[in-house]
Amino acid sequence: GLRLLTEALPLPEGAVYGSVSSFGIGGTNAHMLLGSAPDRVAAPECPGGGVLTVSSASRDGLRRNVARLADDLIGQREGRLAQLCWSSNKVKSSGRHRLALPARARDQAVADLRELLTDDGRFATASGVARGVSTGWLFTGQGSQYRG
């Protein structure tokens, strides 16, 4: 009763479950049970703030990104600042030039970001250049990498 699908299969309304099994030639077997994604619930408003972070590959780019963030914040609802702070720290690529700004309220954050653009001393205090980080992995295995 098994058949390969050649086109999208219409699924019934409500929760749908299916399974996938894979049998490897070397003896590795994998089994997975899949289910319908739950209905999306809108994220609640998050009062408060956090730390807004901005980064760029160059100092001029950092200034440009600070200006863009200030402009973008104006269009956001007040209750979204905490989410934006979280996102600016977690969901972004980091350039070497970075800036961090504590933020408690949207309008104050916009004013502070714009002030940074006009006050070189404050901009220098709030920003910096990240040093390169090298990571090395050593898998010791059976100990043959070191004498003794």
Side-chain angles (χ1 to χ4, degrees), residues 14-35:
V16 177
Y17 297 95
S19 64
V20 177
S21 294
S22 175
F23 303 98
I25 221 167
T28 301
N29 299 331
H31 308 285
M32 187 174 12
L33 179 63
L34 305 171

Side-chain angles (χ1 to χ4, degrees), residues 84-131:
L84 293 168
C85 288
W86 183 89
S87 295
S88 76
N89 285 278
K90 299 290 183 184
V91 186
K92 66 177 178 66
S93 59
S94 292
R96 290 192 59 213
H97 294 265
R98 300 177 185 176
L99 180 136
L101 177 74
R104 293 210 179 274
R106 183 198 62 203
D107 293 339
Q108 185 61 48
V110 170
D112 288 345
L113 287 168
R114 290 201 169 136
E115 182 183 338
L116 287 171
L117 295 172
T118 60
D119 184 343
D120 289 336
R122 188 161 180 229
F123 188 87
T125 301
S127 64
V129 179
R131 294 182 180 173

Side-chain angles (χ1 to χ4, degrees), residues 8-88:
L9 176 70
L11 299 175
E13 292 293 321
V16 177
Y17 297 95
S19 64
V20 177
S21 294
S22 175
F23 303 98
I25 221 167
T28 301
N29 299 331
H31 308 285
M32 187 174 12
L33 179 63
L34 305 171
S36 300
D39 291 334
R40 292 191 87 178
V41 178
E45 295 282 317
C46 297
V51 177
L52 285 169
T53 57
V54 186
S55 69
S56 180
S58 68
R59 187 166 178 81
D60 290 337
L62 184 62
R63 285 186 173 278
R64 181 191 64 238
N65 290 346
V66 167
R68 285 182 179 171
L69 179 59
D71 292 342
D72 289 344
L73 279 174
I74 290 175
Q76 299 294 325
R77 294 187 315 270
E78 181 70 36
R80 300 263 338 261
L81 183 61
Q83 293 170 335
L84 293 168
C85 288
W86 183 89
S87 295
S88 76

